[in-house]
Amino acid sequence: MNMQIVMLLGQDGVTNGAVYALLALSIMLVFSVTRILLIPQGEFVAFAALTMAAMQSGRAVQLGWLVFALAVVATLMDAAKVWRSKGREPWPHGTLGLLAVAALALVLTKVLPLDRIGMFAQALLTIALVVPLGPLLYRVFFQAIAAAHSLVLLIVSIAVHVALVGTGLLMFGPEGGKTEPFSDAFFEIGPAMIASQTLWVIAATLALMGGLWVFFGKTLYGRALQATAVNRLGAELVGISPDLAGRASFTLAAAIGVLSGILIAPITTIYYDSGFIISLKGFVGAIIGGLTSFPVAALGALFIGQAEAFSTFWASSYKEVIVFTLLLPVLVWRSLAHTRVEDEE
Amino acid sequence: MTALAPTTPPLLSVRDLSVSYGPIEAVSGISLDVPEGHIATVIGPNGAGKTTLLSALMGILPSRGAITVDGVETSSPTIARMIAAGIALVPEQRALFATMTVEDNLVLGGFRRHRDPHYDADETLRDVYGRFPRLWERHRQLAGTLSGGERQMLALGRALMGKPRLLMLDEPSLGLAPLVVRDVFQIIAELKRTGVSILLVEQNARAALKVADHAYVLELGRVAMEGPAAELADDPRIVAAYLGKTSRHQEMLTA
Ligand SMILES: Nc1ncnc2c1ncn2[C@@H]1O[C@H](COP(=O)(O)OP(=O)(O)OP(=O)(O)O)[C@@H](O)[C@H]1O
Ligand SMILES: [Mg+2]
């Protein structure tokens, strides 16, 4: 194993690790605001990657139908709620906007020559298709049971994941998809070649994290989401709607998922069910961070990315086994550290 | 704010309100009024249902009976509806954002008004800091690291940031040093002068009856006595039960 291979594997590890870190962030965000472990996080990634791939290969994009159908259901649910309250409950804003976006995106995927509109437009259309999926899933499956026991939330989360994977097979078929890289350029640094896609992934990840840092640290809405995570009753008493906070966190989760999907689609072949294993690695990063500490989770995610890249080289068929086995000592350490903290309190 | 015309309906009016925890009824058929610009107080022994009453009024717990705000009647309102009507609650457990700074807590207190074009967040923040200089000294500190008394101030300050018309306070003097208790009641009296109506739940019956216009005595979920606060303060039963020499502990009273 020479220096060149180490650099190459390291590069793979950093790219994957960056994406896992993003997903870890998203899973932690949703969990702390809503207590929901977002098992379908990976579906945002896979659906985005496969939608991009379908556009580029000139196949029909069917995701618009799913999003539109969910938007119609969500609108009907809102209407039923307003009707049941005999008009005393105001019409919740948001869902109608989602319906409009879903309808527009659906029409665009049917009329545009998708393989010839360019990568940037393809990416925008993918974002418009997949991001509404986040708040719609929250509205349709979680909003009504937001106060339920977290075990109930977990079960529903798993059910939604399974249903989405099934729909994914219907929409995208069993074949995998891969997209064009953003650019073909390579940079030579010392003995190694750095693919420009790696730099794209790193730059986009850093930009997204910076954006989220500004959002949570500096804006009223970001603080409001944080407040919901810290104290639900307090947040409700100052007028932060838990429904809105739930939808906002799911919107961010979908947005992070889509960007991750677009970023890794040129590097890895994605199948309709690839989302789970990808988000599982993000989830493991989140667990390393104890579902609360993002910097630790990000480091954990990077570590997983590296472990994965190097085990691919040494024993590629045992890749996942090695990655998840490496976690056992980390989890043992965490659970010991956790008990100690509790004893101190 | 507005002059109190005799025809004005009370800001908050409650009729025959009952709240149950499963089969147990903790509040049974309570009626009370808070006229605009008045302070009403609810006193009573531990477990009488005071906190339950406030939770139901804020829409945190479902209830039966009529709750009327500004002449508009609802039953079992939602929190959002009560907030929209200008009602704020400082709950018994305070519900502060422990891992956020004092200033963030206060700023979020104004969230309910963030779309209101007449609301000036910075000015309101200065007002609150003026009222609680201690909070200004600690504005970068995490809320969870404040002392008990500072936490009470923060909870009150956060509620004031939303410029409520009716403030519901659950034992604002709980666990405070006597001097600070005096400050808290002074602030309550000042708030009334600025036109805020207050529904005050207190264990410190002496101070509560002094500051309030009207008082309700709650026992076992029912209103056992009510009347102008000054009259109740002279009532021998109240004096014996709540204002005796050892008035710190009202629990002994249940007999
Ligand atoms: N979640 C609950 N489930 C069952 N019973 C409850 C619940 N919360 C309160 N209770 C009961 O309802 C009764 C009224 O409680 P509440 O907290 O309203 O009393 P309180 O007047 O505020 O007392 P304190 O002065 O001690 O704060 C008590 O007997 C209490 O045990
Ligand atoms: Mg109480």
Side-chain angles (χ1 to χ4, degrees):
Chain A
M1 189 161 173
N2 59 27
M3 194 59 201
Q4 214 164 350
I5 296 179
V6 170
M7 290 292 285
L8 208 66
L9 293 177
Q11 221 182 107
D12 270 4
V14 169
T15 355
N16 290 342
V19 169
Y20 300 153
L22 281 179
L23 297 177
L25 172 61
S26 172
I27 288 168
M28 285 161 67
L29 165 72
V30 170
F31 181 75
S32 61
V33 174
T34 63
R35 297 178 304 129
I36 298 167
L37 263 186
L38 191 57
I39 314 287
Q41 173 72 54
E43 270 63 68
F44 299 133
V45 180
F47 286 10
L50 286 168
T51 302
M52 278 289 276
M55 287 182 187
Q56 292 187 353
S57 63
R59 272 176 288 135
V61 171
Q62 308 294 10
L63 183 60
W65 291 112
L66 173 67
V67 181
F68 184 70
L70 278 172
V72 170
V73 173
T75 309
L76 290 177
M77 286 170 89
D78 276 0
K81 197 174 168 204
V82 172
W83 185 72
R84 265 203 311 274
S85 76
K86 301 190 185 66
R88 282 180 308 178
E89 196 117 342
W91 187 267
H93 39 88
T95 310
L96 284 179
L98 288 174
L99 184 65
V101 172
L104 182 68
L106 175 62
V107 171
L108 285 180
T109 54
K110 295 301 160 197
V111 299
L112 286 179
L114 294 175
D115 48 343
R116 280 179 282 123
I117 56 177
M119 187 173 288
F120 188 65
Q122 288 167 344
L124 281 185
L125 190 51
T126 304
I127 290 171
L129 276 169
V130 183
V131 171
L133 207 50
L136 287 172
L137 288 179
Y138 184 77
R139 174 64 190 97
V140 173
F141 297 108
F142 293 102
Q143 185 169 309
I145 56 162
H149 192 276
S150 39
L151 197 57
V152 176
L153 297 177
L154 178 62
I155 291 168
V156 174
S157 185
I158 293 172
V160 170
H161 157 70
V162 172
L164 280 179
V165 171
T167 339
L169 178 59
L170 275 180
M171 292 185 299
F172 303 108
E175 310 86 29
K178 200 167 176 176
T179 60
E180 312 278 325
F182 299 167
S183 65
D184 292 320
F186 278 85
F187 303 98
E188 248 176 282
I189 296 179
M193 300 284 279
I194 308 273
S196 57
Q197 187 67 25
T198 308
L199 299 179
W200 271 107
V201 171
I202 294 171
T205 304
L206 290 179
L208 194 57
M209 284 178 181
L212 287 169
W213 184 78
V214 170
F215 174 70
F216 282 105
K218 308 277 176 216
T219 70
L220 185 63
Y221 285 98
R223 288 200 193 111
L225 267 190
Q226 215 183 324
T228 310
V230 176
N231 193 310
R232 219 168 296 271
L233 174 65
E236 233 179 311
L237 287 177
V238 299
I240 302 164
S241 148
D243 292 351
L244 220 59
R247 289 198 211 185
S249 63
F250 269 61
T251 307
L252 282 173
I256 292 172
V258 175
L259 279 169
S260 309
I262 294 175
L263 287 174
I264 58 164
I267 305 173
T268 329
T269 306
I270 302 283
Y271 297 85
Y272 71 97
D273 61 351
S274 299
F276 181 67
I277 201 80
I278 296 173
S279 72
L280 192 59
K281 286 168 193 157
F283 174 68
V284 167
I287 294 284
I288 293 177
L291 282 172
T292 49
S293 163
F294 178 63
V296 180
L299 282 179
L302 283 176
F303 165 74
I304 291 165
Q306 293 297 345
E308 185 185 14
F310 282 89
S311 51
T312 310
F313 179 73
W314 281 313
S316 110
S317 40
Y318 292 100
K319 179 178 97 175
E320 316 292 3
V321 178
I322 293 173
V323 168
F324 290 115
T325 310
L326 277 177
L327 277 169
L328 290 178
V330 177
L331 291 182
V332 169
W333 164 71
R334 269 224 77 97
S335 69
L336 291 178
H338 190 68
T339 336
R340 212 170 308 132
V341 173
E342 264 177 359
D343 288 348
E344 275 166 16
E345 272 166 11
Chain B
M1 292 217 271
T2 51
L4 187 64
T7 49
T8 319
L11 181 52
L12 173 75
S13 167
V14 179
R15 289 293 166 268
D16 216 12
L17 188 85
S18 302
V19 186
S20 306
Y21 294 108
I24 307 157
E25 204 168 63
V27 163
S28 321
I30 288 185
S31 297
L32 61 81
D33 289 311
V34 186
E36 180 125 37
H38 281 220
I39 300 180
T41 185
V42 175
I43 56 177
N46 292 126
K50 306 181 295 296
T51 298
T52 307
L53 170 68
L54 290 193
S55 302
L57 291 181
M58 196 64 211
I60 298 171
L61 289 175
S63 58
R64 282 158 285 125
I67 298 173
T68 309
V69 185
D70 274 333
V72 182
E73 188 185 311
T74 11
S75 54
S76 204
T78 60
I79 298 182
R81 172 171 291 265
M82 297 320 265
I83 286 176
I87 298 178
L89 168 69
V90 177
E92 193 169 37
Q93 73 274 34
R94 307 304 174 226
L96 295 174
F97 307 124
T99 55
M100 302 174 78
T101 64
V102 167
E103 183 143 314
D104 280 351
N105 270 267
L106 290 175
V107 168
L108 283 166
F111 189 85
R112 57 159 76 190
R113 295 222 182 267
H114 76 281
R115 284 172 195 271
D116 178 350
H118 303 299
Y119 179 72
D120 184 340
D122 293 335
E123 191 194 310
T124 318
L125 190 61
R126 272 196 299 277
D127 274 3
V128 169
Y129 280 143
R131 217 183 277 282
F132 303 101
R134 181 70 74 88
L135 293 182
W136 166 245
E137 286 163 27
R138 318 230 152 215
H139 70 284
R140 282 176 191 283
Q141 197 171 325
L142 296 185
T145 64
L146 293 177
S147 81
E150 290 162 351
R151 255 176 251 196
Q152 309 276 55
M153 291 178 204
L154 181 56
L156 197 52
R158 187 179 71 178
L160 291 177
M161 283 296 296
K163 296 213 161 179
R165 299 172 58 204
L166 171 66
L167 189 55
M168 303 200 290
L169 303 172
D170 200 342
E171 305 200 22
S173 73
L174 189 73
L176 297 184
L179 275 179
V180 188
V181 171
R182 218 188 46 194
D183 289 349
V184 166
F185 280 96
Q186 212 164 348
I187 287 166
I188 291 172
E190 268 168 40
L191 284 175
K192 177 188 166 178
R193 253 172 272 135
T194 61
V196 181
S197 317
I198 292 165
L199 180 56
L200 172 68
V201 162
E202 254 302 330
Q203 293 284 353
N204 188 336
R206 189 186 299 276
L209 289 175
K210 212 177 206 170
V211 77
D213 299 297
H214 203 87
Y216 298 84
V217 180
L218 215 62
E219 276 167 27
L220 296 172
R222 294 174 192 282
V223 177
M225 249 188 274
E226 70 162 293
E231 273 174 36
L232 281 198
D234 291 334
D235 190 296
R237 283 168 299 173
I238 300 282
V239 172
Y242 295 95
L243 305 175
K245 275 236 160 72
T246 55
S247 69
R248 281 181 305 125
H249 295 292
Q250 287 91 21
E251 293 94 309
M252 52 167 197
L253 151 90
T254 22

